Each structure stands twice: as C-alpha cells, then as structure tokens.
C-alpha cells in the first residue's frame, strides 16, 4: 500500500506545491490569530499589542447562563442534520439509479439540486411565506385536513425539525450527485454475475451497490463529523427569533450576537477555538473508527 | 441577513434624503425669522467668505484661517467611503469623481482620493480591518465605539484648536445648537478628537402612523389617548376596515426586533412613560428622583405596557408572525393594504408607505399622530442618541487637519447657507432617476433643528401665501405642498411630511410641548456596556417576546434581577460616574 518516495516522481511533487502554498497561507498562518482568544483584543493595538488575559474569555463564555442551552442546541441540530443529510441522498441516489429513462433521471437530478444554489437569505423569505400559519400553503393544507394551523417557525418544539427538514431539502440533491457518480463506478459485470446467480433487485442492491459506494459513504460521513459543531449559521440566523432561542440558538448565532455586534473579538475567538478543538477530536475519532471497522483510509 | 440590511439601508437612505431635503436655511434661525434678518446673516456670511478667499489666495496655505480658503498649490488627501448599495450617480460620475469631489478640487484646492469604498453593510468590518492593519487614510468616518478605540490608542489628531479656528460661523452655530450636544461623543477629556458628522437626534423619535381612511370609515375618534389607540387597533382587526368581507387585516404591525425604528415598540413603551433600549445604542438613561441615572427599561412603568401588549396579542390584534418577521417582512402587510397602525419615524411615508401610492389609489390616507398617553400625563418620546453618530476622525500627524474642517464648511455653504445651490449639490431628478448628490460628499454635517425651522417657514408661507421669506430649497417644498393642494396627488408624500398634518407637525408638537425624553448618558460606551450590552439587550428582547406571547407579566421582575446581576449594576455605576464628571 505504501509507496516509497521516488525522486523521479518530482513532477508530481511539484504539482503539490500550489495546493500546499494555499493551505499554508490560508489555513496555517491564520492560526496565529487564535492568540486573540487569550487576549483583551483591541483592534487599534493589534495582535501583538493587546493585553493577554489568560483564560478569561473562556471563563466568561462558560459563566453565561445560555451557554449550555446553546451548546446542546448546536449538537442536536448538527447531529440530526448529519444523519438526515446522509440517509436521504443515499436513498434518493439508489432510487434514481433504478430509473431506466435517462431523460427522467437527469430531469429529477437537476430539479433537486437547484435549491443548493439559493442562499439562505432568499430561502428564509420563501420558507416564512410557505410556512406562515395564516396564509402559508403548508398550513392551508393542514387546515384543509381539519387540523389546527401550526406556527412552525415560532414554536420552539417545531423549530429544530424545521431546520433539519429545510436543510436536507436544500442540500440532498447536491449530495445525491456524489453518490450517483460513485454508482457509475461499479462494474456492471458484477450485476450480470449476480443475476446469473439468481439475485433479485434487492439482493443486488444490498450485496453489490451498497458495498460499492461504502467508501464514499464513510468518507462523506467522516468529513461531516468534523463539521459537527457547525449547525449552519446562515440558516439559523435568517430563520430564528427570540421566541425560539431556547431550541434554535446555536454557538455561531450566539457568538454573533455577543461578540461581533460589540467588538468582543476575544470572546468570539475563544468560542471559535473551543469549537475547533472539539471538532478536531471528533474527526480524529471518526477517522480512527473508520479505519478500525471499515478498513478505510483517506491517506 | 443581506436582504434585511439592504432594505434597511434603502430605508435609511430614503430617510437621509428626507432629512437632508428637509434642511432649510440656517441663517434665519432667529425667533422672528424675518426676511431682513436672514438677508443680513447671509450677506455677512458671504462677505467674510469672499473677503477671506482673496486673502487666502495671497497667504500660504498654512497661515490661512479662512473657513473656505483655497490651497495653492493644491494638497492631496485620502479617505474611504461607505455608501448605500442603492446609490446612483449621474452618467460619467462615480464615488471617486462627482460634483462634491470636483468642488473640493476647484474651490478648496483639495484633491481627494478614496482608498476604497464599500457598501454600508460592510463598512464597520472593513473600517476595523483598516484600523487593525494601521492602513489608515488621512481622515475617515468612524462610529463612537471605533473613535474611542482610536483615541485610546492615540491614533487620531486632536481637533479642538483646529475646529475652533477654521469652522465657519454657520458650522459653529449648527454644532452649538442644543447646548453643543453634537460634540459630546467626540469629546474626550475636554478635547475634540474628531469632527462630528450628522446627528440623528430628534429625527429618530417615534410617532403613530394610522390608516386615516379606515379610521374615518369605522367612525372612530382620533387617538388622543392610549385607550383610543387600542380601540382603533382592535377595530382594524375586527370590523373589516378594508371591506372585503374577510377577517384578513392586522391591527398593530410589529417586527421581532423591538429596537428597529419601523414597526418597533419604543413609541408604545413611551406611551406608558417607559424608556427601554433602542436601535441606536445599548443605552437609554433617565434621571430618577434623586438625580441619579437609571436605565429606563427596568423601571416599573414597563409592566403596564407589557400587559397592554399581551392583551392586544390575546385579542388577535397582533399578527403572531411578528416573532419571525424583520422590519422589511413586516412591512409587506402594510404594502398590501392589510395593516393600518404602526409606530415609526417621520420618514415612513417614504418607506414602507409609498409616498406616490395615492396617485394610483386616492382612497388611501395615512396620517401620523403624536404618541398618545396612557394617563393624564402627556407621553414623552425618547431620543436615544442626540449626539453625532458618525464622526470624521483625522489620522494623527496629518499635515493639514484643518482641510477636513474646511470641507465641512463647504458642505454647509453649499447646502444650508443663503448661497446654497440645492439643485446642484443636494439632490435632483434627471429623467426618471433621482440622485442624492449630498451623499457623495465625503464630509457631511447637519443642523439638528433644520427640519423644524424649514417646517415652520413653509407652514407660515402657506398661511400667508407669501414666499418671499423662503430660500430656494424651502420654496421647493412650498411648491410641492401647493401642487398637492391644487390636486396633484403625486405630491402626497410631501404633504404627509411638510403639510399641516404631516410628520414634521408631529415632531413640532413634541418640541413645542417639551415632550422629549433625552438619553442622559451621552458618552462613549462604557467598558461594561461594551462587553455586556448586547447580552442585556438580548435578555430584554426575550423577556418582551415571552410576555407578549403569554408569560406572566411578573416575569419582568425576574428580568430586572437578572439584568442587574448580569452587568447592569456595573453599567449603572459607570454611567453615573460619567454623569458626575460631565454634569453641566
């Protein structure tokens, strides 16, 4: 599996350079900014002139009443989004793959990935209209069935499910494409062989298709674990309101209200740092698990 | 977020157009305001100006103390600009080359270049970046918060002497109005550390806008008391004011952010003599009976107001969706003719109400009313921030700091003075596009009482039918009013602003009857305010929302406790320390 470093491959290594440079410039150098998390940061004094306050910012964040609520919301929203965001595209991809008519398949594919290109700013406006308890189409349907209208975006217990559903709706089409691409990589001979052995559609899916796309599934889920604490600032910020803070407020929106509005760069950085550390632990763990149980390695 | 800000920016720019178009002649600021006095003041002004220009040319730039003297040879200055997204420029012009920049070069000998210009929405961030990287132009607009940072770091020029020496009489007069309050936030330890820009002051107080045609149709009395207003709000929901046979109207328009001017609640609370946070700042301080400053939003007057809101909500007079609507979204109901009451600013006839709407539907009638009171004591409206909310900081070590003052002089000269040329420098319409030229100016100022003065003059002229006392700009408003009277419905917006029932008459009513509650704390944000202010505003927003939706009004007491413990007590102490030091 492992290859030895060979000087004759130098062209390949050269091709690595631009990418490495980008990573160093945009991912490693900015890490020095993490120091702000330990400072009483004053923009006029800058990174080197500001006073260090130790763990003050972290303590401050910890001392706030809402911190635990916000953390809980972040994790639960993110986990639900990850689970739904993983399952739905796979199912849709498998179903689409069974469709024979290319024209129909392409059409559906195009339609479902369109929302991916709309920003949450626009979508939030659409969602508010669609979900409106007085004249939204969803509630008109609910009323038509004889139920009471539901105020989806103004009821704390409904807010999280709405976040998950709308996020999945926006993104599943795009992820479906990735799985469809993986599906085309499976050797058709396998299916023919399976048919000869008498395997039906279901058996073929289970024993050929699923193992075929398993690496991609593991790769995407491993990567998404690293994002576990990113519950989606854009989406939440555009949809939430004080009435659903109890279930909708996430770390990013909270920090925005706390920090950015009042120049509390130190506090904001501290929280961002904390998030990164947790995310790092999670992605390392998931990578280790993926290796142990699925024998899957990225590197 | 972007949509919201763009709309708000649009609203703000409309407001600015109205404010500045409201700016009248400053020279006749006297009590009798007769033509003679105005003429005299104007002439003397002109004389000084022209006389000094002559001597200015003879002198070197350094010794020239003439407010409008020209630099010869010309000097170079740099700045950066934050503009509205919706800003338009005449063909060939841009933010780097326009009527004002040309005036700077031609009249003052200042060659002004923009290091960069961004949309207002990114202004704060971009400015902070420039401050952090130390890449500052010669002068630039800053907020009170940024100015405090710059002063602490010793990065800006002390403008005390320069301003005193170079500011024109007109500028000095404008900044001396209201006890010189405009200078307060730019003054640190008695030193003026920036040139104050525009003030919001009196222009951002609440009034009630009503669908007057609905009120008349339902035979309801004018809102003299809060009971009247409550009755109107309820009737607008229950009695089908739009006459379509459906119960589809909203009583009181509200949005989730109580501190925004449009569809906010400041006016509602003011009716109950309560003064909570506002959009402008994380502070609103009033004097208690011992003469100490206390925060308005934790006073017991809040409770009846919250109860009243809860009652309105229970009765279905408030659209429950207000909790998810921002101002722009809340405005839709009004634009669709489904809502008839909101608390807002004087410029609401420009947005969200369409000042041209009457032309298409003459039955529509909106009218602004003063905030009614809940009891026998008249309601006072809160003025959160009468100081300059935008200052022009001058980088430390700039060779000609007075140039910035001169640019301010020029702004006043071309817009407010007797020689003003509003058609060239203020605003104009070419074809179907209107341009707000004033907004291109890199240094802008304002007389805090301009609008009121102009309103008085225009109303007087309307009564007397005599336009001789009006300057060219006031004449413009007069003509618009006259046209409206003669049946030109496209001038409805002007009538609702300048007319006898217009929004400036409401502001005049507040002023004449001294119904103004000024924020007593005028300093830069205190240390604790800067760190904890937004948490406290957050707490308050949550408390208000929950009570409106049905929580017990007594949970307000819990809020007061939390507010005090979460930094409120410390802020109160700091605010009072400032007050003791700066009490006049």
């Amino acid at each position: 599996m492992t290859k030895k470093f060979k000087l004759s491959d130098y062209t390949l290594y050269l091709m690595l350079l631009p990418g490495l440079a980008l990573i160093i410039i945009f991912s490693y150098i900015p890490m020095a900014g993490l120091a702000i998390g330990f400072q009483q940061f004053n923009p006029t004094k800058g990174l080197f002139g500001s006073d260090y306050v130790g763990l003050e910012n972290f303590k401050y964040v910890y001392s706030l009443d809402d911190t635990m609520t916000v953390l809980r919301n972040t994790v639960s929203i993110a986990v639900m989004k990850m689970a739904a965001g993983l399952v739905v595209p796979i199912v849709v991809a498998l179903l689409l793959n069974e469709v024979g008519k290319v024209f129909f398949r392409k059409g559906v594919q195009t339609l479902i990935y369109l929302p991916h290109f709309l920003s949450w700013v626009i979508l939030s406006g659409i969602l508010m209209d669609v979900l409106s308890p007085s004249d939204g189409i969803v509630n008109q349907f609910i009323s038509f069935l004889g139920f009471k209208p539901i105020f989806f975006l103004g009821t704390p217990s409904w807010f999280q499910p709405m976040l998950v559903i709308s996020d999945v709706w926006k993104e599943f089409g795009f992820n479906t494409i990735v799985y469809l691409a993986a599906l085309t990589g499976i050797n058709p001979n396998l299916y023919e062989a399976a048919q000869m052995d008498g395997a039906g559609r279901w058996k073929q899916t289970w024993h050929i298709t699923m193992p075929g796309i398993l690496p991609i599934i593991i790769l995407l889920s491993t990567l998404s674990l690293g994002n576990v604490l990113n519950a989606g600032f854009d989406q939440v910020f555009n949809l939430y309101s004080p009435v659903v803070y109890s279930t909708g407020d996430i770390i990013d929106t909270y920090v925005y209200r706390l920090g950015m509005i009042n120049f509390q760069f130190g506090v904001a950085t501290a929280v961002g740092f904390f998030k990164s550390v947790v995310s790092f632990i999670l992605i390392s763990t998931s990578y280790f698990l993926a290796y142990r149980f699925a024998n899957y390695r990225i590197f | 977020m972007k949509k919201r800000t763009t709309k708000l920016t649009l609203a703000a720019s409309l407001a600015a157009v109205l404010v500045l178009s409201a700016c009248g002649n400053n020279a006749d600021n006297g009590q009798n305001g007769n033509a003679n006095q105005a003429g005299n003041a104007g002439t003397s002004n002109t004389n000084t100006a022209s006389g000094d220009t002559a001597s200015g040319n003879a002198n070197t730039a350094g010794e020239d103390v003439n407010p409008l003297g020209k630099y010869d040879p010309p000097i170079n200055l740099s700045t950066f600009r934050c503009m509205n997204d919706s800003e338009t420029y005449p063909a060939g012009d841009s933010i780097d080359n326009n009527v004002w920049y040309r005036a700077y070069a031609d009249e003052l000998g200042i060659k002004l270049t923009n290091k960069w210009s961004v949309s207002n929405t990114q202004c704060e961030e971009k400015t902070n970046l420039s401050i952090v990287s130390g890449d500052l132009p010669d002068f630039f607009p800053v907020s009170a918060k940024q100015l405090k940072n710059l002063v602490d770091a010793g990065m800006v020029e002390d403008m005390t002497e320069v301003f005193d020496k170079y500011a024109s009489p007109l500028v000095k007069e404008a900044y001396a109005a209201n006890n010189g309050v405009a200078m307060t936030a730019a003054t640190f330890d008695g030193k003026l550390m920036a040139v104050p820009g525009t003030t919001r002051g009196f222009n951002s107080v609440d009034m009630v806008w009503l669908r007057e045609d609905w009120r008349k149709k339902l035979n309801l009395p004018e809102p003299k008391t809060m009971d009247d207003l409550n009755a109107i709000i309820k009737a607008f929901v229950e009695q089908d004011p739009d006459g379509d046979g459906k119960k589809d109207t909203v009583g009181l328009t509200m949005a989730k952010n109580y501190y925004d001017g449009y569809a906010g609640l400041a006016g509602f609370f003011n009716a109950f003599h309560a003064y909570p946070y506002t959009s402008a700042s994380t502070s609103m301080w009033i004097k208690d009976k011992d003469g100490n400053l206390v925060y308005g939003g934790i006073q017991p007057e809040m409770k009846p107001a919250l109860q009243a809101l809860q009652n309105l909500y229970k009765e279905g007079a408030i659209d429950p969706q207000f909790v998810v609507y921002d101002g722009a979204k809340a405005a839709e109901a009004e634009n669709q003719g489904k809502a008839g009451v909101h608390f807002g600013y004087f410029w609401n006839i420009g947005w969200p109400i369409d000042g041209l709407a009457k032309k298409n539907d003459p039955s529509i009638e909106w009218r602004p009313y003063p905030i009614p009171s809940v009891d026998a004591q008249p309601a006072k409206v809160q003025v959160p921030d009468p100081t300059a909310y935008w200052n022009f900081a001058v980088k430390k070590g700039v060779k000609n700091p007075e140039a910035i003052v001169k640019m301010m002089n020029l702004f006043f000269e071309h817009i407010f003075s007797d020689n003003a040329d509003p058609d060239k420098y203020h605003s104009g319409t070419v074809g179907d596009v209107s341009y707000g030229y004033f907004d291109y100016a890199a240094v802008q100022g304002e007389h805090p009482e301009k609008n009121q003065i102009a309103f008085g003059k225009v109303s007087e002229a309307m009564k007397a039918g005599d336009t001789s006392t009006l300057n060219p700009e006031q004449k413009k408003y007069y003509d618009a009013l006259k046209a409206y009277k003669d049946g030109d419905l496209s001038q409805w917006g002007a009538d609702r602003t300048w007319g006898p029932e217009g929004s400036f008459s409401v502001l005049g009513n507040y002023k004449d009857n001294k119904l103004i509650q000024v924020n007593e704390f005028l300093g830069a944000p205190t240390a604790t305010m800067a760190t904890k202010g937004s948490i406290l505003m957050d707490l308050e927003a949550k408390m208000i929302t929950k009570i409106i939706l049905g929580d017990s009004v007594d949970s307000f007491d819990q809020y007061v406790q939390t507010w005090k413990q979460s930094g409120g007590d410390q802020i109160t102490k700091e605010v009072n320390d400032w007050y003791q030091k700066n009490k006049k």
Side-chain angles (χ1 to χ4, degrees):
Chain A
M1 184 113 186
T2 45
K3 275 186 180 174
K4 289 236 170 70
F5 179 82
K6 265 194 271 170
L7 208 60
S8 56
D9 286 339
Y10 75 98
T11 40
L12 294 178
Y13 293 114
L14 271 181
M15 283 166 76
L16 259 179
L17 277 181
L20 272 180
L22 282 180
I23 289 178
I24 290 172
I25 294 171
F26 292 109
S27 300
Y28 280 87
I29 294 179
M31 278 192 199
L34 286 176
I36 292 173
F38 303 94
Q39 287 178 339
Q40 176 78 47
F41 185 71
N42 180 339
T44 54
K45 291 182 187 156
L47 185 58
F48 301 104
S50 297
D51 305 324
Y52 279 86
V53 290
L55 292 174
E56 202 63 32
N57 290 328
F58 293 88
K59 281 186 196 147
Y60 173 64
V61 173
Y62 187 73
S63 74
L64 294 169
D65 285 348
D66 294 332
T67 304
M68 283 327 283
T69 321
V70 167
L71 202 64
R72 204 168 50 233
N73 290 340
T74 311
V75 173
S76 81
I77 291 172
V79 167
M80 282 199 289
K81 273 187 184 174
M82 270 168 48
L86 199 65
V87 173
V88 175
I90 294 174
V91 171
V92 175
L94 288 177
L95 291 176
L96 267 185
N97 197 43
E98 297 297 310
V99 176
K101 297 236 183 327
V102 176
F103 179 75
F104 177 79
R105 198 167 65 202
K106 295 278 181 206
V108 170
Q109 214 174 311
T110 310
L111 270 181
I112 59 175
Y113 85 63
L114 269 181
H116 171 78
F117 295 101
L118 294 176
S119 74
W120 277 112
V121 179
I122 295 164
L123 279 181
S124 67
I126 296 174
L127 281 175
M128 270 179 214
D129 283 337
V130 171
L131 300 175
S132 154
S134 52
D135 48 11
I137 187 162
V138 174
N139 273 306
Q140 276 176 1
F141 184 67
I142 292 176
S143 311
F144 175 73
L145 295 178
F147 296 103
K148 270 184 77 173
I150 301 166
F151 191 3
F152 291 105
L153 296 175
T155 317
S157 56
W158 271 105
F159 192 71
Q160 284 195 5
M162 285 335 284
L163 285 180
V164 174
I165 293 170
S166 57
D167 185 64
V168 167
W169 169 71
K170 184 175 185 296
E171 300 298 342
F172 83 94
F174 201 77
N175 291 333
T176 301
I177 294 176
V178 178
Y179 291 113
L180 280 175
L183 286 173
T184 58
I186 298 174
N187 188 348
N189 294 342
L190 293 174
Y191 290 107
E192 281 165 26
Q195 265 171 352
M196 298 299 274
D197 291 343
R201 277 290 189 206
W202 179 246
K203 288 276 182 193
Q204 287 175 33
T205 307
W206 192 246
H207 291 292
I208 301 170
T209 316
M210 283 308 279
I213 59 172
L214 193 64
I216 291 287
I217 295 176
I218 293 174
L219 171 69
L220 288 185
S221 50
T222 308
L223 289 180
S224 70
L225 254 179
N227 264 334
V228 74
L229 290 185
N230 283 337
F233 174 81
D234 279 4
Q235 184 192 15
V236 177
F237 185 77
N238 281 296
L239 288 172
Y240 81 156
S241 54
V243 75
V244 292
Y245 278 175
S246 57
T247 57
D249 207 6
I250 56 171
I251 293 181
D252 293 324
T253 51
Y254 190 54
V255 167
Y256 174 81
R257 292 204 313 281
L258 284 188
M260 294 315 170
I261 294 175
N262 273 330
F263 295 143
Q264 295 299 298
F265 295 113
V267 177
T269 314
V271 178
F273 193 14
F274 173 71
K275 252 181 71 174
S276 303
V277 169
V278 176
S279 299
F280 179 74
I281 294 172
L282 282 169
I283 199 167
S284 312
T285 318
S286 65
Y287 183 65
F288 174 74
L289 291 177
Y291 175 56
R292 272 296 289 280
F293 297 109
N295 199 18
Y296 179 77
R297 300 168 61 111
I298 298 174
F299 305 110
Chain B
M1 180 170 123
K2 255 181 215 138
K3 184 184 75 175
R4 186 188 127 100
T5 9
T6 336
K7 287 211 179 168
L8 286 180
T9 318
L10 191 66
S13 68
L14 278 168
V17 171
L18 277 165
V19 173
L20 280 154
S21 60
C23 300
N25 186 341
N26 181 58
D28 46 28
N29 193 9
Q31 283 84 353
N32 20 6
N34 59 44
N36 245 350
Q37 200 188 9
N40 286 343
T43 336
S44 63
N45 229 348
T46 327
N47 283 346
T48 0
S50 52
D52 283 353
T53 315
S55 64
N57 284 340
N59 288 338
T60 58
E63 294 159 5
D64 177 14
V65 286
N66 165 18
L68 289 170
K70 187 173 177 177
Y71 291 101
D72 190 23
I75 60 164
N76 288 308
L77 281 180
S78 58
T79 185
F80 53 63
R81 301 299 308 274
C82 300
M83 302 300 290
N84 292 322
D85 291 326
S86 53
E87 200 75 60
T88 50
Y89 302 91
D93 279 9
S94 68
I95 189 57
D96 299 306
N97 175 24
N98 54 60
V99 60
W100 278 101
Y101 281 48
R102 289 190 289 272
Y104 294 144
D106 298 344
E107 297 177 42
L108 296 178
I110 296 171
K111 206 184 153 308
L112 186 61
T113 46
N114 298 324
K115 268 181 115 88
W116 45 260
S117 57
V118 291
S119 147
N120 271 335
T121 50
Q122 298 152 28
C123 187
E124 192 133 29
E125 207 177 301
K126 184 94 174 144
T127 307
N128 282 342
L129 273 178
S130 283
I131 296 174
V132 175
S133 60
D135 183 22
L136 291 172
D138 295 325
F139 73 97
F140 49 99
V142 287
S143 68
K145 241 181 259 174
Q146 288 164 335
L147 183 61
K148 187 177 189 300
N149 268 329
L150 288 163
V151 171
D152 287 348
M155 290 166 82
V156 287
E157 193 74 30
D158 178 357
M159 296 297 286
T160 322
E161 271 175 42
V162 180
F163 188 82
D164 196 46
K165 208 164 152 191
Y166 285 91
S168 71
L170 204 57
V171 170
K172 278 188 180 157
E173 191 190 323
Y175 283 109
N178 252 345
N179 289 328
V181 81
M183 316 277 269
T184 317
T187 305
F188 294 80
D189 294 330
K191 288 183 199 147
L192 184 67
M193 300 307 286
V195 178
T198 48
T199 63
R200 264 197 280 225
F202 199 50
N203 293 324
S204 47
V205 298
D206 266 15
M207 55 186 72
V208 189
W209 284 89
L210 269 194
R211 268 298 284 267
E212 189 74 352
D213 52 328
W214 288 6
R215 183 183 71 77
K216 284 184 179 149
K217 189 171 156 196
L218 301 178
N219 277 323
L220 297 159
E222 290 191 5
K224 291 258 183 282
T225 67
M226 208 54 198
D227 288 342
D228 295 342
L229 186 62
N230 276 328
I232 291 174
I233 293 173
K234 280 176 214 162
F236 278 6
V237 180
E238 282 155 10
Q239 300 181 21
D240 190 25
D242 58 352
D244 63 354
K246 280 185 245 161
K247 200 181 164 189
D248 59 353
T249 42
V250 177
L252 179 63
T253 306
M254 276 169 54
K256 65 178 170 183
N257 187 347
Y258 309 116
Y259 316 120
D260 278 357
Y262 167 70
L265 281 179
F268 195 94
F269 285 112
N270 291 169
F272 290 80
H273 316 299
Y275 308 98
Y277 289 122
T278 55
S279 59
S281 57
T282 47
S283 78
M284 180 65 212
W285 299 82
I286 54 175
K287 251 185 263 182
D288 70 358
K289 55 184 192 310
D290 305 323
N292 294 319
L293 297 193
V294 288
Y295 168 55
I298 56 164
Q299 303 309 311
E301 284 84 3
M302 289 288 285
K303 273 175 109 168
L306 290 165
Q307 183 67 58
L309 282 168
Q310 193 185 60
N311 294 346
L312 280 174
Y313 183 81
K314 271 188 197 150
E315 283 152 0
I318 298 169
D319 181 356
Q321 294 175 82
F322 86 90
V323 299
V324 297
Y325 281 178
D326 57 28
K329 194 82 186 150
E332 283 174 12
E334 232 153 68
N335 293 328
Q336 294 161 356
K338 289 189 171 172
V341 187
H342 79 250
F343 288 84
Y345 292 152
F346 81 85
W347 44 263
N348 284 162
I349 190 64
W351 187 91
I353 308 169
D354 179 3
L356 296 170
K358 201 175 176 64
K359 209 175 143 197
N360 301 322
D361 182 359
S363 70
I364 295 179
E365 190 63 73
W366 282 89
R367 181 174 169 183
Y369 283 97
I371 305 288
S373 171
V374 72
D375 51 30
Q377 181 135 7
K380 285 183 171 182
V381 283
Q382 68 185 58
V383 178
D385 189 10
T387 59
Y389 74 108
W390 213 235
N391 301 286
F392 297 97
V394 181
K395 187 169 79 170
K396 187 137 199 148
V398 165
K399 214 174 130 216
N400 298 100
E402 76 285 350
I404 290 89
V405 182
K406 286 188 179 187
M407 288 159 85
M408 183 64 88
N409 294 339
L410 193 74
F411 188 81
F412 274 75
E413 178 71 14
H414 283 329
I415 290 201
F416 303 133
S417 84
D418 234 36
N419 322 321
D421 188 356
D423 289 334
K424 184 173 176 195
Y425 292 104
H426 183 275
S427 54
T429 309
V430 182
D432 282 343
V433 194
S434 41
Y435 302 102
Y437 306 132
F438 66 89
D439 220 12
Y440 311 155
V443 179
Q444 300 173 25
E446 189 197 330
H447 190 297
E449 294 182 0
K450 283 287 171 202
N451 298 337
Q452 280 313 305
I453 295 161
F455 169 71
K457 303 266 296 178
V458 173
S459 329
E460 252 173 54
M462 280 302 277
K463 264 184 226 145
D466 172 18
T467 59
S468 59
T469 62
L470 302 180
N471 71 9
E473 208 186 336
Q474 290 160 343
K475 181 76 172 27
K476 245 183 171 173
Y477 306 134
Y478 174 87
D479 291 343
L481 279 187
K482 196 96 178 109
Y484 180 75
K485 239 182 161 180
D486 296 341
D488 179 1
L489 292 181
S490 66
Q491 298 298 336
W492 182 50
D495 178 69
R496 296 289 92 181
T497 313
W498 297 99
E501 288 183 359
S503 43
F504 281 125
S505 79
V506 173
L507 294 183
N509 175 319
Y510 291 148
K511 197 172 154 58
D512 296 344
N513 298 308
K514 299 201 164 44
L515 299 177
I516 296 157
Q517 179 71 50
V518 179
N519 182 3
E520 303 278 351
F521 174 72
L522 301 174
T526 69
T528 315
M529 212 184 266
T531 47
K532 310 237 163 115
S534 66
I535 302 176
L536 298 180
M537 279 179 86
D538 230 37
L539 269 178
E540 192 171 288
K542 263 196 280 188
M543 178 272 296
I544 295 175
T545 311
K546 285 196 167 155
I547 291 182
I548 295 176
L549 298 185
D551 257 22
S552 159
V553 175
D554 290 329
S555 59
F556 172 76
D557 301 328
Q558 179 58 43
Y559 159 72
V560 174
Q561 279 313 310
T562 322
W563 186 89
K564 288 183 169 169
Q565 285 157 13
S566 311
D569 276 341
Q570 180 62 23
I571 294 178
T572 307
K573 192 183 159 295
E574 288 165 0
V575 163
N576 277 295
D577 287 348
W578 175 91
Y579 188 60
Q580 290 309 322
K581 247 194 268 171
N582 293 277
K583 204 156 48 173
K584 282 206 175 110

